Amino acid sequence: MGNTARTEPLPLAMNAIKGLDVTQTCRLMVTLRARESSHSYGIVNEYGYMGAYQFGASALATVGLMDKQALSQASSRVRKGRNPEHSEFLKNSANWLSGNYQQFLSSTALQDSAFIKLANANVSEGFRARVLIKSNPEHIAGYVAAAHLKGSGSANSWYLRGKDSHDANGTRTSDYAKLGEAAISKS
């Protein structure tokens, strides 16, 4: 399986993202995988972000794969995703609670599951912050995409105040929000 693009629906037993059905979840995942990594599950970018969805240490800790305490005790460069410290932290098996660097890169199922867990954590934050009150699926998908790029704080800033931000590559939160919304509005 490795680096092949998955476009078929995920197994029905798989949990969908809160507020989205399985088909919408699949559409969003395919769209973000294409944008993040051209569907390559084994890729690592220049900042050390890894896999099809370009996970960093913070996201991996959020979904329970990396040790939150180890991350909190790591240098600010690790927490901010700056290399070479970020990559070294990710490659250190002692920082993983489940699996390791190489196992994560070689498992499409683990990466897809981690994405859904992260998306659901972000959606929960969106509801807690009152950004996603009575929201439609397009809004939820846009929020998930924006939060995936820059975290729920930046997604909240975009959706509540129209305050845009960008990542190290210059990609804007607003662009990801539109990308996520468009993934769900396809017929």
Side-chain angles (χ1 to χ4, degrees), residues 85-145:
E85 294 87 348
H86 185 245
S87 289
E88 291 167 7
F89 185 87
L90 289 167
K91 290 177 183 176
N92 183 342
S93 294
N95 295 325
W96 289 79
L97 297 174
S98 178
N100 62 40
Y101 183 82
Q102 204 53 47
Q103 288 171 340
F104 184 81
L105 284 173
S106 64
S107 175
T108 59
L110 183 57
Q111 290 183 44
D112 288 344
S113 174
F115 175 79
I116 289 176
K117 285 180 186 175
L118 182 62
N120 282 331
N122 287 329
V123 168
S124 292
E125 176 57 27
F127 278 108
R128 189 199 65 71
R130 307 193 78 129
V131 175
L132 295 176
I133 296 173
K134 297 183 180 177
S135 192
N136 63 33
E138 290 85 5
H139 193 136
I140 290 171
Y143 184 90
V144 166

Side-chain angles (χ1 to χ4, degrees), residues 4-164:
T4 61
R6 180 188 297 157
T7 55
E8 74 276 9
L10 298 167
L12 291 177
M14 179 179 206
N15 293 328
I17 295 169
K18 294 173 189 171
L20 304 180
D21 64 27
V22 173
T23 300
Q24 292 166 332
T25 296
C26 289
R27 286 180 180 165
L28 180 60
M29 291 172 73
V30 167
T31 298
L32 288 179
R33 268 199 322 264
R35 179 69 180 260
E36 292 284 318
S37 67
S38 299
H39 301 287
S40 177
Y41 282 85
I43 196 167
V44 178
N45 76 9
E46 65 187 280
Y47 303 105
Y49 288 80
M50 56 193 290
Y53 305 98
Q54 295 293 279
F55 275 87
S58 179
L60 290 166
T62 298
V63 301
L65 294 174
M66 295 203 86
D67 186 338
K68 285 183 182 182
Q69 184 175 1
L71 180 61
S72 72
Q73 294 173 353
S75 75
S76 66
R77 290 184 58 81
V78 171
R79 291 189 307 276
K80 292 178 181 178
R82 297 206 175 117
N83 267 337
E85 294 87 348
H86 185 245
S87 289
E88 291 167 7
F89 185 87
L90 289 167
K91 290 177 183 176
N92 183 342
S93 294
N95 295 325
W96 289 79
L97 297 174
S98 178
N100 62 40
Y101 183 82
Q102 204 53 47
Q103 288 171 340
F104 184 81
L105 284 173
S106 64
S107 175
T108 59
L110 183 57
Q111 290 183 44
D112 288 344
S113 174
F115 175 79
I116 289 176
K117 285 180 186 175
L118 182 62
N120 282 331
N122 287 329
V123 168
S124 292
E125 176 57 27
F127 278 108
R128 189 199 65 71
R130 307 193 78 129
V131 175
L132 295 176
I133 296 173
K134 297 183 180 177
S135 192
N136 63 33
E138 290 85 5
H139 193 136
I140 290 171
Y143 184 90
V144 166
H148 188 74
L149 178 71
K150 286 285 293 167
S152 57
S154 291
N156 292 346
S157 290
W158 171 247
Y159 278 100
L160 290 174
R161 294 177 283 291
K163 183 179 177 198
D164 212 352

